[in-house]
Amino acid sequence: MILKRSSAALLGLALLVPLHGQTPLRVAAAADLEPVLPPILEQFRQATGIHAEATYQASAMLTTQIMNGAPFDLFLSADLSYPKRLIDAGLAAATSSAGSSEPITYAKGTLVLWARKDSLLPPPSLDLLRNPMLKRLAIANPERAPYGRAAVAALTKLKLYDALRPRLATAENIAQAAQFVDSGNADAGLISLTSALTTHMAASGNYFVIPSDLYPPIEHGAVIVAKTKQRTAANKLLEYLLSPPVQAQLAKRGLAPVH
């Protein structure tokens, strides 16, 4: 009887083990990917059987975590400088070609000015940035988030940065910047198009696309973390992101395709 119970218990434990015996693929993902990546990862799982889990934070914070040994397999940054830093430190491998020292570009971001529809201010435009009634402008931290750097670059080129600097509400990442303005803690926000196109933000606000010549390109770069034990799976996910159908999905959700 005891033997039968033990066998049953062992069988029960076996059923709890994933069918593929696979550790989830851990993806360090820039915060602007949070509205975009989850359905793509689910489609990837259905297509390949590979389960991937993403952690969304500012690109600089994810870089620091990888440098400190965080067990990520793939890093999807919102710019090229952070993954390049990891390559230079020997902590990540370029994925575009053997021997390449450059991250692979998988998408390009767009900066927009967003405000709530119930705002007493005029609709989003460059003129709104000059409106004295604009008391709080949300941006991502320019020291940690590529979209924050793009926002500062745009304001500087418009010669508005010095005037607006005391009125900036600085968030940890681009997702939090969107939360600031959506919640009313800021009158408007310089956020990612990926955030502006979410169902909630599209329903509650309007956006204006900041001209691309006002800030450096927000090129999103990917690298495989050197210590990964799932290099093949990480490569498959990156290839999936670069496939034409997924690039088309990214475009609909606010990330310009790379080809």
Side-chain angles (χ1 to χ4, degrees):
M1 181 65 69
I2 294 175
L3 181 59
K4 289 183 178 179
R5 288 177 179 174
S6 298
S7 298
L10 289 172
L11 178 60
L13 288 172
L15 292 174
L16 295 175
V17 177
L19 291 177
H20 297 282
Q22 177 199 20
T23 301
L25 186 68
R26 295 200 59 190
V27 181
D32 74 318
L33 295 175
E34 191 166 3
V36 176
L37 200 55
I40 292 174
L41 293 183
E42 174 57 23
Q43 293 167 26
F44 177 68
R45 184 193 65 77
Q46 293 178 8
T48 65
I50 299 171
H51 176 58
E53 296 179 350
T55 297
Y56 302 96
Q57 289 181 354
S59 296
M61 293 185 68
L62 292 168
T63 301
T64 299
Q65 290 178 26
I66 293 170
M67 286 183 164
N68 290 334
F72 290 113
D73 302 299
L74 180 66
F75 178 30
L76 301 177
S77 173
D79 78 347
L80 299 180
S81 68
Y82 291 116
K84 181 67 165 63
R85 189 179 304 175
L86 294 174
I87 291 173
D88 293 343
L91 298 174
T95 55
S96 53
S97 63
S100 173
S101 61
E102 297 297 325
I104 188 166
T105 302
Y106 64 89
K108 296 179 181 179
T110 298
L111 186 70
V112 303
L113 179 65
W114 189 93
R116 291 183 59 87
K117 291 179 179 177
D118 58 9
S119 171
L120 299 178
L121 294 171
S125 69
L126 294 183
D127 287 337
L128 176 59
L129 294 171
R130 302 182 179 96
N131 193 315
M133 292 179 62
L134 178 65
K135 301 301 182 184
R136 296 277 283 171
L137 176 67
I139 68 168
N141 188 334
E143 295 181 0
R144 298 183 178 182
Y147 282 92
R149 289 202 303 274
V152 169
L155 294 176
T156 300
K157 198 158 188 178
L158 291 168
K159 299 181 179 179
L160 294 173
Y161 182 66
D162 289 340
L164 287 173
R165 188 172 183 176
R167 291 181 263 169
L168 295 179
T170 304
E172 281 299 307
N173 55 54
I174 199 62
Q176 190 179 70
Q179 291 172 4
F180 279 4
V181 63
D182 180 47
S183 65
N185 288 319
D187 302 310
L190 287 167
I191 66 172
S192 67
L193 182 57
T194 59
S195 295
L197 289 179
T198 61
T199 302
H200 172 73
M201 298 286 280
S204 61
N206 296 309
Y207 69 88
F208 170 82
V209 176
I210 301 297
S212 60
D213 61 352
L214 292 178
Y215 59 91
I218 308 174
E219 295 181 295
H220 289 44
V223 287
I224 294 178
V225 179
K227 291 183 178 180
T228 181
K229 295 180 180 179
Q230 301 201 70
R231 186 171 301 275
T232 299
N235 265 316
K236 284 184 179 180
L237 177 54
L238 184 56
E239 290 171 1
Y240 189 74
L241 288 174
L242 292 170
S243 67
V246 177
Q247 287 281 299
Q249 285 188 56
L250 292 177
K252 289 180 181 179
R253 294 175 177 270
L255 288 173
V258 294
H259 52 259

